[in-house]
Structures are given as structure tokens and as C-alpha cells.
Amino acid sequence: MKKFGLSVVAAGLVAVAAACGGGEDDTASGDNGSTGSDENGSAEESGDERPEGFLEIRGSDTMVNLGQAFAEGYMDINELGDISVTGGGSGTGIAAMINNDIDIAQSSRAMTEEEFEEAEANGAEPHEFIVGQDGLAVAIHNDNPVEELTFAQIKDIFTGEITDWSEVGWDDGGTISVASRQSNSGTYVYFNQNVMDGEDFAPDAQFLPGSSAIREAVEQDASAIGYIGIGYVEGIDAVNVALDEDSEYVSPFEEENVDEGLYPIARPLYFYVNGTPDGIMEDYLKWVIYDEDADELRYDTGFYQIGDEYMDQNEETFEELGIDLD
């Protein structure tokens, strides 16, 4: 199996703030008209001045390393930009969007229609863009010999129907220790809805505050199993997953399995931007979606590229908002 060599940021909130020179004007996004990236995303090389401004981004813990990398990469090429990124979970970011308190909500799940309506009632104007893909990994200890699980077996483990590793092929594994994210996590919502059909977790499941906490729990306990974004699988392993016993078992470690829809627990990663992007918001969004440096950051942090289908969806949204991509 391929494993990513990412550096994992400690759990909790991570802030990327105002590291660059300039950016003295902390007004909200979009007060300076110059936008657009050159081929290398370098304003210095092109001679273009990028827009000045501040963006506050909050949300998904799964995406916090990715969001931090995006922000640092962008501020390296725009000394007038000032971007703050904090985690706390997709629910935290979406709640901030609903309260009209942020510029961008990072989320590992889609906002619901009800959440859109609540946000719009409070004066926010969320628009959805997809900035990467994740193969959600079913994580196990490196000493665990189980290599493959079906969807039904995974559901039964996390709901407590299967409680011993011997039931899925590891005779000496003993009692399974289930680790889950907390309910404010977009990863929790996605996994519960798409893998567990909304059923309750096992009675003795541990609910942990972040992706790093899940990784550490699995790394320290040979009997543990959890679920985390593929970018956090470092020092542990992940099983291949099949829809059923008659289907092929597929690894989350291969990008083509996610991009082609072969891995059954794959998901898009979202930016919800507040208002029609202009100024630094538009410049940053285009850089994240189209710049080759941002592509490298997606891979370096363990996630996958946006893919043709979602890229088309982004372009349709830009078009609907009247934003020129030339």
C-alpha cells in the first residue's frame, strides 16, 4: 500500500495568520480589482499586482492541513494577502457561514438545503466550490492482518453487530475497539450517512475530537479501527473496501480509484464562499482551483485532485456568478 509522508498538524485549531508583509488593511474580501493567476501563480514573475485583503476561513478538521497549505502557498505569492485558517470541524465552519461570520467555510460534507436557507436568512450568500477529493480511509493498526472488508462488515463493526476481530478473519485479534469522530465533524456525518445508513454507533465507541486523535488512537491500539481522511494515514494502515462480497476490493491509496469512482467511500472537499467572489476572494479561489502549485499542495497533504467532473461543476458555478475565467 502507498502511504503518504505528510506532516500532520497537531489536533485542535490551527491558525495561519498574517505572516506576510503588507496586508495592513484587514477589510473584508474584495476591495481591489486586480485578479487572475499567471501560469506559475507568480505575481512577481508576471508583474501583475494581486489584490489586497483579508480572508477568514473556518471549518473541517480533515481539511485544516490542506487549508493551511493553500493559505501559506497563496501568501507566498501575494504579499498583500492575509488569510486566517482555523479548524474545529465542518459543523463549526458551516455554523459560522449560517451566522454570516466568515468568508469561506471549509467542509468535508455538503451543506444541506436547510443550512443554505438559514444562511441566506441571516444575510449570508454561500456558493459551493470543490477544491479536492478524499478517499475516506478505514484505518487499522499496522499489526492488524485484516486487509479487506466489505461495506456490510464495516457497518456492522461500527454499529456493534461485529465485536471481535475473529469474525472478520483475525482469530487472535480480540475485541474490536471502535474510534469515531465527534458529531460536529463533516467526516462523522458523511460516514454515518453513507456507510452506516444513519444507525447508531457501537455502545462502547470512542468519540474523538479530530483526525489526528483518531490516527493516534489507532496507532496506539492494535485492536482499534477508525475512519479518517486519507491525508492522515501515517504510521497506520487502511483496509481495501468492497461494496459486497462479489465486488472488487479497492484501495484508497490510489488516486485513480477515487477519481474514477471505484473506491466506495470517496468524497469531494468543499469551499463555501460567502458572496459573489471578487478581489482577493476571487483571486484566491481561482488559485486554489487552477494553479499548478495548489495541485502540488493537494498531493503533498495527502489528498487528490479535483477531477474533471467536479472541475466542470466549478466552472458552471463561476459562469452562473458571471465570473470570467479567461
Side-chain angles (χ1 to χ4, degrees):
M1 291 182 176
K2 171 190 168 187
K3 296 183 179 179
F4 294 97
L6 76 163
S7 59
V8 178
V9 175
L13 302 181
V14 178
V16 181
C20 295
E24 294 177 359
D25 181 1
D26 281 355
T27 55
S29 59
D31 58 0
N32 190 329
S34 178
T35 62
S37 302
D38 67 342
E39 290 184 355
N40 300 315
S42 168
E44 292 181 358
E45 292 177 6
S46 67
D48 295 336
E49 181 177 302
R50 287 182 179 272
E52 178 181 2
F54 172 74
L55 294 175
E56 182 176 3
I57 301 174
R58 197 180 310 168
S60 169
D61 181 76
T62 296
M63 295 173 64
V64 72
N65 284 353
L66 178 64
Q68 180 189 25
F70 281 154
E72 291 177 343
Y74 179 78
M75 289 191 292
D76 282 344
I77 53 94
N78 181 11
E79 64 179 13
L80 301 177
D82 180 1
I83 300 176
S84 170
V85 180
T86 57
S90 299
T92 299
I94 290 171
M97 176 63 71
I98 289 172
N99 291 328
N100 199 12
D101 284 340
I102 53 169
D103 299 304
I104 298 175
Q106 293 187 149
S107 182
S108 59
R109 67 166 177 86
M111 284 181 64
T112 65
E113 290 186 11
E114 290 77 13
E115 288 168 339
F116 270 97
E117 292 171 358
E118 288 181 63
E120 290 165 359
N122 289 331
E125 186 187 342
H127 298 288
E128 179 182 288
F129 291 90
I130 293 167
V131 298
Q133 296 187 83
D134 180 26
L136 188 58
V138 178
I140 57 173
H141 193 275
N142 280 337
D143 293 339
N144 188 328
V146 175
E147 297 182 351
E148 301 172 338
L149 291 172
T150 65
F151 233 62
Q153 287 173 320
I154 295 169
K155 175 184 175 182
D156 286 348
I157 288 172
F158 281 88
T159 57
E161 292 295 320
I162 292 176
T163 59
D164 196 285
W165 281 110
S166 63
E167 299 177 73
V168 290
W170 185 17
D171 290 341
D172 301 325
T175 302
I176 298 173
S177 177
V178 173
S180 169
R181 294 288 308 280
Q182 294 175 325
S183 60
N184 68 333
S185 159
T187 303
Y188 169 101
V189 173
Y190 179 88
F191 191 84
N192 184 250
Q193 291 180 345
N194 291 278
V195 179
M196 301 172 60
D197 296 327
E199 294 186 18
D200 292 339
F201 279 84
D204 56 352
Q206 300 180 75
F207 294 94
L208 303 174
S211 299
S212 295
I214 296 287
R215 183 183 60 80
E216 291 168 6
V218 173
E219 188 175 31
Q220 295 170 7
D221 182 358
S223 68
I225 189 169
Y227 57 91
I228 52 175
I230 190 66
Y232 284 83
V233 180
E234 174 73 13
I236 55 176
D237 206 347
V239 299
N240 299 333
V241 177
L243 282 174
D244 54 48
E245 292 180 345
D246 297 324
S247 301
E248 180 182 359
Y249 288 90
V250 179
S251 168
F253 292 108
E254 301 296 333
E255 180 169 7
E256 64 181 17
N257 291 340
V258 172
D259 207 29
E260 296 176 6
L262 301 176
Y263 184 68
I265 323 178
R267 57 180 177 168
L269 302 173
Y270 301 92
F271 268 11
Y272 288 95
V273 303
N274 192 356
T276 300
D278 65 355
I280 190 172
M281 174 83 85
E282 180 181 347
D283 192 55
Y284 182 61
L285 187 59
K286 288 179 175 177
W287 184 86
V288 165
I289 292 174
Y290 294 108
D291 198 280
E292 291 181 358
D293 288 342
D295 290 344
E296 291 182 9
L297 294 172
R298 266 182 282 275
Y299 186 79
D300 289 346
T301 51
F303 295 98
Y304 299 132
Q305 302 305 323
I306 296 169
D308 293 340
E309 178 184 351
Y310 293 132
M311 193 65 86
D312 289 344
Q313 183 175 319
N314 286 337
E315 292 183 1
E316 289 175 5
T317 305
F318 277 122
E319 184 175 348
E320 290 171 1
L321 293 173
I323 296 174
D324 188 0
L325 293 176
D326 293 335

